[in-house]
Amino acid sequence: MICARPNRAKGGGYESHDSYEEHGGTTFIERIFCDIDNIHVMRDSLVKVIEALNNPNKKGEKKWFELLDDSKWMQHLRLILIASNRVVDRIKNNGHSTLIHCSDGWDRTAQLAAVSQLCLDGYYRTLEGFLVLIDKEWCAFGHKFQDRIGHTVNKPQDTERSPVFIQFLDAVYQLMCQFPEAFEFSERLLIFIAEHLFSARFGNFLFNNVKDRLAHNLHTKTRSIWSFILHQDNRRQFLHPIYDKNSHLFTLVPNTSVIRMTFWIRLYNKANPSTPRDQLLEWALKMQQRSTKAAEKSDPTNM
């Protein structure tokens, strides 16, 4: 609702219930506003996160968390997860068709559609499936990577820039922290994709749409990041050691409480050697130790 009414005044926004009336005049749709902010708010929010990380005057953990809270980055992520839970509930539990759209369909729409599919379909939580999901919802459906990232454009203050795709990867990271055994790929894959979103080494994230990429013959000039990741010499480094293959049968419903949100240290502050170890790795280590102890107890040679 934050942006919907102003956009509707300009000819966009949301549809009238009149477009979905049955013959008897009754409406058969439920319209839900998810209150996810626009690209400009997200850009300013991440800028505040970076400023907080680089603030030389922050004193202790309490000050850091105050600065992080002021950025509202974690709150924005939380709203994306809440919205995806709503989509999952309508589809999984009620069997309803669901239409997702923001002002134009290439930013918040891609975020919410992709996160919802991750929760609903275990295929998209496999290494191959996740790459298919990004290629489909972001690359093929026209997320404006060039405008949002600024490739080939020397305009650092361009108001079209926004970390929308990075925010999607962060939302995936939040799911991985809560359901680590449900993902075939590891955090390393997310960071690899995030780094090469900006490197321009691969052609997948150049230009704003498929038409432009074909017009510039990128398939003959650059390599695909998907084929690089899936190559037999590379894929192993992106796999998650505690992946449970049976988890693809389950629907993910993340806890959206603020206390369950995890700041992505290894992406935003990976250059800081004093950063404490990531919670996911701590969890994996504890599980490994527990499994080792259980195996030792069950081994008859140890008796």
Side-chain angles (χ1 to χ4, degrees):
M1 184 62 80
I2 296 173
C3 303
R5 285 179 175 171
N7 286 332
R8 194 177 188 194
K10 296 185 292 185
Y14 58 94
E15 301 87 348
S16 167
H17 270 88
D18 296 340
S19 303
Y20 297 93
E21 287 186 355
E22 293 179 327
H23 294 297
T26 57
T27 303
F28 62 95
I29 68 165
E30 178 186 17
R31 185 171 58 214
I32 300 175
F33 296 98
C34 297
D35 293 332
I36 301 172
D37 278 297
N38 60 35
I39 61 170
H40 312 294
V41 174
M42 301 309 182
R43 178 183 62 248
D44 295 342
S45 178
L46 187 56
V47 166
K48 290 180 180 179
V49 171
I50 304 305
E51 290 175 349
L53 288 168
N54 295 326
N55 183 3
N57 298 317
K58 61 178 183 289
K59 296 180 180 180
E61 192 176 76
K62 182 178 180 180
K63 182 61 176 177
W64 152 244
F65 281 115
E66 289 175 355
L67 293 171
L68 178 61
D69 185 61
D70 288 343
S71 75
K72 299 190 183 304
W73 182 254
M74 306 307 292
Q75 288 90 323
H76 294 315
L77 286 171
R78 178 174 177 267
L79 287 176
I80 293 172
L81 295 182
I82 289 174
S84 70
N85 278 353
R86 289 173 171 171
V87 173
V88 169
D89 177 64
R90 265 65 181 181
I91 295 175
K92 180 70 174 181
N93 299 327
N94 298 293
H96 294 167
S97 298
T98 305
L99 172 67
I100 303 169
H101 76 81
C102 56
S103 304
D104 298 293
W106 49 54
D107 291 307
R108 287 166 290 187
T109 302
Q111 284 182 333
L112 186 51
V115 173
S116 299
Q117 288 173 79
L118 268 177
C119 293
L120 283 165
D121 192 339
Y123 169 68
Y124 293 123
R125 301 193 292 269
T126 66
L127 178 61
E128 177 188 90
F130 186 62
L131 305 186
V132 169
L133 181 67
I134 295 177
D135 195 57
K136 173 171 68 80
E137 294 296 332
W138 294 88
C139 300
F141 285 162
H143 175 65
K144 302 200 297 181
F145 283 107
Q146 179 166 308
D147 290 355
R148 299 294 180 258
I149 305 304
H151 292 133
T152 72
V153 180
N154 187 21
K155 294 181 180 179
Q157 303 303 319
D158 189 350
T159 58
E160 285 294 299
R161 295 195 182 187
S162 186
V164 175
F165 184 72
I166 289 293
Q167 192 174 50
F168 159 70
L169 294 179
D170 201 337
V172 177
Y173 174 73
Q174 301 301 322
L175 292 173
M176 293 177 69
C177 287
Q178 292 195 33
F179 308 99
E181 73 286 352
F183 291 83
E184 185 184 26
F185 54 89
S186 68
E187 178 192 7
R188 175 176 288 187
L189 175 68
L190 302 183
I191 293 177
F192 182 83
I193 293 174
E195 289 175 344
H196 291 294
L197 173 68
F198 296 92
S199 73
R201 175 183 174 185
F202 303 99
N204 308 75
F205 304 131
L206 298 179
F207 298 102
N208 283 331
N209 50 59
V210 174
K211 179 182 177 182
D212 290 347
R213 287 190 278 274
L214 290 175
H216 287 83
N217 294 315
L218 287 186
H219 64 285
T220 65
K221 301 174 182 177
T222 63
R223 188 174 181 179
S224 169
I225 191 173
W226 314 137
S227 61
F228 179 88
I229 292 171
L230 292 174
H231 192 277
Q232 60 181 1
D233 294 336
N234 301 321
R235 62 176 292 131
R236 180 174 296 181
Q237 66 178 302
F238 301 115
L239 297 179
H240 202 301
I242 60 173
Y243 173 59
D244 179 2
K245 294 182 179 180
N246 293 323
S247 65
H248 75 279
L249 301 172
F250 304 110
T251 300
L252 304 186
V253 182
N255 187 325
T256 57
S257 170
V258 174
I259 62 174
R260 292 302 304 273
M261 306 295 289
T262 303
F263 182 69
W264 197 359
I265 288 288
R266 290 185 179 272
L267 178 66
Y268 303 119
N269 202 33
K270 60 183 178 181
N272 185 352
S274 64
T275 297
R277 295 189 64 178
D278 181 81
Q279 292 183 13
L280 178 58
L281 292 181
E282 288 284 3
W283 184 90
L285 180 61
K286 290 179 181 178
M287 291 297 293
Q288 185 180 33
Q289 292 172 343
R290 186 179 302 174
S291 298
T292 301
K293 290 180 179 179
E296 290 175 348
K297 288 182 179 180
S298 60
D299 188 351
T301 61
N302 292 331
M303 297 179 63

